[in-house]
Amino acid sequence: MKLGIDVGGTNTDAVVITNDGKLLSWSKHLTTKDIITGIKLAANEALQEANIPPEKIEGVFLGTTHVLNALYYPNNLAKTALIRMTKIPSLIGPAIQWPSNLKKYIGKVYDFKSLCDYKGNKDDSLNPNSGQINKLLSDIEKYSIESICIVGAYSPLYETEEREIRKIIKEHYPEIPVTMSHEIGSTGFIERENAALLNAILSKVIRQAMTDLSKIFKNLSLNCPYWLTQNDGSLMEIHEASEYPILTIGSGVSNSIRGASILSGLKSCIVVDAGGSTIDIGKIINGQPEVSVGSSSIFDIQVNVRVPQIHSLPYGGGSLITIENELAEIKETIANDIEQQGMAWGGHTWTLTDSFLKLFPDSFQDETLQQKGLDLLSKEDCRKVIQMVTKNIKESISRLQPSVEDLPVILVGGGSPLLANRLFGRYKKVLHPAGYHICNAVGACFAPLSAEIDKVFWLNGITKQEVIDRAKEQLFQQLLQKGAKKESIELVSLEEFPFDYLEGEVLRVRVKALGELA
Amino acid sequence: MSWQIRKNDIPILALGAKLLSCGGGGDTKTAESLLMSIMREDDVIAVKSITDLGDEWVAAAGIMGSIVLFNEDIPSGREGIRALRLYESVISKNVGALISIEMGGVNSLIPLVIAIQANLPVIDGDGMGRAFPELFMTAFHLSEIPLSPMVLQTHDTNRVIYDAENAHYTAEMAKVFTVKNRGHAHLVGYGAKGQKMKTSMIPGTLNLIFRLGNVLKSETSAGVKMDHMIHVFENSIYGKPQQIISGVVTEVRRWFEKGSLVGKFIVEGRSAFSDQRIEIEFKNEFISIKNGQYICTAPDLILVLNEENLIPYNVSEVQSGLFITIVAVPAPNILRTKDMLELVGPNSYGLACSYKPFQGDSGYETWN
């Protein structure tokens, strides 16, 4: 049996699901500031309601926006030292486009000299970095450095230099998190450095969360493996997640997309997740949530890691509405708890949800609703708000629709009852599946295992096919090790990127395989 | 009319440079980051326009080689000025102003880096008026400004190519040097007096990318941006742009052929264009628009834009499923002369068709 948990901005949900996919129980709690208390309450309740002993749970599957939120509202981020390894130090500064509230976490920058030629052959007679390394080692304590990020030019072609530096640091400081850029992204120094730096400054918040989680699960006598979903919707073990937090920032969204596919039974569909603070629109094709291609951006910082491909509208059910110059406007601010503050519940703030409830009071089956509070609102204003919201959602949906045939649209999330039956006329296929309110937690339970190689290879006396075959074999072994069913393993993508202007044949290969958890 | 470039202008210029690159020209990210790193808030780069040119010696600057490697093996940031100093010692003259070889992509920005470091003005103009793949595909070459003497500079080595017979040969030698030395190099060459440069260059292009960048950055709808973009081109030496199609990208095919990124994709029209299907071919840049027959080819400009915000895509960014708008812009007349078309016309890209100037009024003719 599986325990699925989703920590959202507003609610923390837990579900217990049998191995053949039957929902045994679910629970919902307000997300707590420490996230941990909410998880504990929700998990405990779901287990009790299912009435099964904890030892029957074979895996815990978690999705969370916690890591992304740590960047949104900078919190518990690590003071990071950056080591750059280049032929000659560059005048290009690190983190050029970063917002200052994140940039300030880059505490120290060191320029090391790369000793390899571009084919990765190293001149061992030189050791010009030893003085620099000693300085770094002494600075770690002096400046309270909490995390280290190593970025070497050409490291996607050869990783030995990044590894050597890491080894030396770990000999002196075995506990300090060290991010190596070749493990985070591929070619493109600036984007890879950005991604690696974000990963490094997130190492504190993720470690804290993972340690706390382990404690809670022990308390609950859950002695099974714990998994976190990553940006592409597949699973990572908790110790992996601690090393690569940047790969988990999209876990909430990818769970919602997969959950909608599971709840509706459709392998390919468009998903509208109406939450409290955002409305996210994404797509899943043949059971795989779509991820961005090429470079993407996180808070306008360009990175070369893949993130879920979604259109995110900057408002949700809890967004506040004001009238300005006789026009209804949706503000960026969010009510903390609409059931306290919303007018439909007797509160004093006008939310997006109130606007829908004014016109469609039956959307929510909630006895605490008071139609009286809504009397203060004008029907006309509310209609304008609804028109704008549905227009924006429809536009986002049409952008994701493939050219040949329209995909069905699945509505999920706490705010989805407001949209059901009024997004489109009857002629379009729109589903509002049961379980829409616990969609993310369900989605987490069905995520596959994945392994990916994105590396640059020199074709020294071997053929391209041999390089690809070796990469594939490596992936299969990795998946078996993680516990995948052998017969379920399949190659899902293979891309080649040749290089020009280099002596000798070079090939960048990106291969990805998926497998089901046995 | 002279004007000045400030630090705040750099992201605007980078975006305009990407638009004019027609999908090629090399990603501007690294050069943009370098400029943002070395410029102080109060730094200014003086821009000389065509009427300001006189006796000063003008040299063209840029980079060549693989942009993938340039963006990985980041420059120290001093290669350009070292190339300039070496060039000056070779010709025994001081350079008085810098000009871009190619106003499209990374090479729109490289002269600005050197200008800041050497405290030199830059010239509002360039050799290509867009991006082209070869060093000799310039209006400078057409006006018999020799590419050599040319200086090549990498992280740790350099090379001077003296008095080569012609630009093709110089470009070939430069390529050999680049392949042997980590795949990319800064260069300074195409030197001439201001008076000569004045009649050889494609004028006003630096100002053009600045105006285009401002349009793209503005917070307004795609429709309004399109009107503004058309207006900017109409008030330049380029012709009136025409929207060819808006729709979704399907069937992208891309491969490498002798060092060039080559391929094609299909655009299936949506809304107003819903019954149309267009094929775009590319080779380093977008080179042709077809609906069975040719609608537009290089050197006329083919722009592939994000339908929502008109931000341009380059050839490696186009992916299946993207919503795009295709715009064709008539090239400046200087690129459409018989001699220039031999360098940059459809045949130079391997297209088996003749060149017909894209008219850019309403409607267009097609040919085989």
Side-chain angles (χ1 to χ4, degrees), chain A residues 27-180:
Chain A
S27 69
K28 210 177 229 326
H29 275 269
L30 278 179
T31 298
T32 51
K33 210 174 168 206
D34 66 345
I35 78 162
I36 297 303
T37 315
I39 293 176
K40 193 171 170 182
L41 290 169
N44 207 10
E45 199 177 298
L47 288 171
Q48 283 190 351
E49 204 191 300
N51 196 21
I52 52 152
E55 53 269 26
K56 287 247 172 145
I57 298 288
E58 294 156 81
V60 180
F61 301 86
L62 190 83
T64 175
T65 49
H66 187 54
V67 176
L68 188 59
N69 285 341
L71 291 176
Y72 253 116
Y73 313 103
N75 182 26
N76 212 8
L77 299 177
K79 187 175 180 188
T80 296
L82 168 66
I83 300 171
R84 272 185 169 183
M85 272 188 294
T86 50
K87 279 276 151 205
I88 303 176
S90 178
L91 293 172
I92 300 174
I96 288 297
Q97 322 147 290
W98 287 39
S100 55
N101 62 352
L102 292 178
K103 191 170 178 171
K104 69 176 184 202
Y105 289 95
I106 303 167
K108 281 272 169 189
V109 181
Y110 302 86
D111 274 306
F112 284 17
K113 188 169 172 56
S114 168
L115 301 178
C116 293
D117 68 12
Y118 71 99
K119 290 188 174 177
N121 303 316
K122 196 176 156 197
D123 185 347
D124 278 322
S125 63
L126 299 168
N127 195 7
N129 292 325
S130 60
Q132 289 266 61
I133 290 174
N134 289 336
K135 174 149 177 22
L136 165 78
L137 291 173
S138 66
D139 281 356
I140 289 178
E141 263 177 76
K142 197 161 139 198
Y143 295 101
S144 316
I145 300 292
E146 299 169 296
S147 172
I148 293 180
C149 177
I150 311 173
V151 188
Y154 280 116
S155 71
L157 276 78
Y158 52 82
E159 59 208 49
T160 44
E161 281 189 305
E162 287 189 358
R163 285 197 186 283
E164 279 168 19
I165 301 289
R166 178 180 186 273
K167 194 166 154 244
I168 297 169
I169 294 166
K170 284 283 184 184
E171 276 165 13
H172 293 81
Y173 293 92
E175 292 300 320
I176 199 163
V178 179
T179 298
M180 294 183 288

Side-chain angles (χ1 to χ4, degrees), chain A residues 90-91 93 154 189 192 399 403, chain B residues 37 71-72 75-76 270 307:
Chain A
S90 178
L91 293 172
Y154 280 116
F189 187 94
R192 189 171 69 253
R399 289 183 189 288
S403 48
Chain B
S37 300
N71 285 336
E72 174 58 38
S76 73
R270 285 294 166 86
E307 188 219 20

Side-chain angles (χ1 to χ4, degrees), chain A residues 257-282:
Chain A
I257 293 171
R258 184 176 309 281
S261 162
I262 299 290
L263 292 174
S264 64
L266 295 167
K267 287 251 177 202
S268 302
C269 54
I270 285 173
V271 179
V272 178
D273 183 350
S277 51
T278 59
I279 298 176
D280 298 324
I281 297 111

Side-chain angles (χ1 to χ4, degrees), chain A residues 84 86-93 96 116-118 152-156 186-192 293 302 311 398-403 498-503, chain B residues 29-30 33-34 36-38 65-66 68-69 71-78 82 117 155-156 175 178-180 182-183 248 250 256 259 268 270 307-308 319 321 323:
Chain A
R84 272 185 169 183
T86 50
K87 279 276 151 205
I88 303 176
S90 178
L91 293 172
I92 300 174
I96 288 297
C116 293
D117 68 12
Y118 71 99
Y154 280 116
S155 71
S186 192
T187 51
F189 187 94
I190 290 171
E191 290 155 304
R192 189 171 69 253
V293 281
Q302 286 187 308
H311 283 255
S398 73
R399 289 183 189 288
L400 290 173
Q401 286 291 9
S403 48
F499 281 73
D500 54 345
Y501 281 97
L502 265 191
E503 271 188 306
Chain B
K29 195 177 310 123
T30 301
S33 298
L34 176 56
M36 294 306 279
S37 300
I38 61 174
S66 158
V68 174
L69 297 174
N71 285 336
E72 174 58 38
D73 188 20
I74 52 168
S76 73
R78 298 178 191 88
R82 284 163 69 195
Q117 293 169 326
H155 285 315
D156 44 17
K175 251 190 215 170
T178 307
V179 168
K180 282 211 169 114
R182 298 168 74 97
V248 65
T250 60
F256 266 87
E268 286 180 14
R270 285 294 166 86
E307 188 219 20
E308 217 170 328
Q319 303 286 344
F323 273 75

